[in-house]
Structure formats: C-alpha cells, structure tokens
Amino acid sequence: MPSPHRHDGPVPPVPPVPPVGAQALYDDGTWADAVVRSANAATGTAATLTARPLRDRPGALLSGSCDLDTRAVLGAALGVVTRIPGPVVHLDLSAVAFLDPAAVAALVQANATVTGQGRRLLLHHPPYSLRKLVEMFPDECAALEVAA
C-alpha cells in the first residue's frame, strides 16, 4: 500500500517565507493595503498592526501598537514607506496607540533613509508615547519632523 504522504507529481515550489512571527498580506510592489499580524508567543493572542496608503498624499496610515509583538511588521511597513515616491512622504500615526523605544528608533532609521534620498518623512498626529520618548531622548530624535 502506498504511503498517504507520497506525492504523485512534482513537488510545488515553496513560497518565500515571511519574517518569523509575521505574515504580510500585501504586494509591496504595488503598495496595496497592508495588514500584518504577529502572534504573541506568551499569550497566544494576535497583535495587529496595519498600514494603509493615504488617499490624498504620498504616505501611509499606521494603526495599532508598535512594540515587541509587531516589531518585524513595523520594519516591513517602514521599508515600504521609504520606497513611496515623492519629495515628502507622510506617515499618519493618529491610529497608533503606542510606540516603544525600538519603534521610535525604527522611525529615526526610516527618516535617515528618506533623508539620504534627498526627501522628507513627515509624521502626523504622533501618540503620547512618541512625544514622551522625544522629550527623553532629544538628541537621538532630533531628526524626526512632526507636522504642526
């Protein structure tokens, strides 16, 4: 009797693996809506961070929480944001509940990437946690530009 695990045809190619603990549901070549989920290994709950393109200007709207559970997701989203064309890239943080220090460092790095291309990354509606970290680390966060 043949094994139930035997394939009768060629084995299909394995798709590329997303970052450990993260699943990206977007095609970053066309920058469609992005929804990325990361599971918290300790509690088994799913933390969600979403990134969607802004309709009225080049940039993205982040929603959710940027912390240890969504660190890989934030990195992927910011990688897409830094490739959005235009002299100014807008990042709306109005729906972000929390940014931990590593998330702020990722924003600083994304800003450095965009600035190195001769462009600007403009942050809109930063959450309280970002404002507090900027107060605590003014030199490290000096390059971040917040819309008035």
Side-chain angles (χ1 to χ4, degrees):
M1 171 159 48
S3 167
H5 301 289
R6 183 174 166 212
H7 294 282
D8 290 328
V11 177
V14 177
V17 178
V20 174
Q23 180 183 15
L25 303 174
Y26 63 90
D27 175 4
D28 78 7
T30 59
W31 182 237
D33 287 356
V35 177
V36 200
R37 291 178 178 83
S38 177
N40 181 335
T43 65
T45 60
T48 303
L49 177 64
T50 62
R52 290 188 170 80
L54 295 173
R55 303 293 177 210
D56 58 341
R57 58 188 180 252
L61 167 69
L62 290 183
S63 302
S65 185
C66 303
D67 53 24
L68 178 63
D69 294 336
T70 58
R71 191 158 295 148
V73 172
L74 178 63
L78 290 176
V80 173
V81 167
T82 60
R83 292 191 304 270
I84 294 173
V88 179
V89 179
H90 302 268
L91 189 58
D92 188 339
L93 302 172
S94 61
V96 173
F98 176 75
L99 287 159
D100 72 359
V104 175
L107 286 176
V108 170
Q109 179 61 45
N111 183 68
T113 299
V114 171
T115 302
Q117 299 167 348
R119 304 179 311 133
R120 296 172 42 214
L121 178 64
L122 188 56
L123 306 177
H124 297 267
H125 312 289
Y128 176 77
S129 55
L130 175 59
R131 294 190 308 264
K132 276 315 266 187
L133 284 166
V134 168
E135 286 177 15
M136 293 170 61
F137 303 102
D139 295 337
E140 291 84 353
C141 298
L144 294 178
E145 186 178 356
V146 178

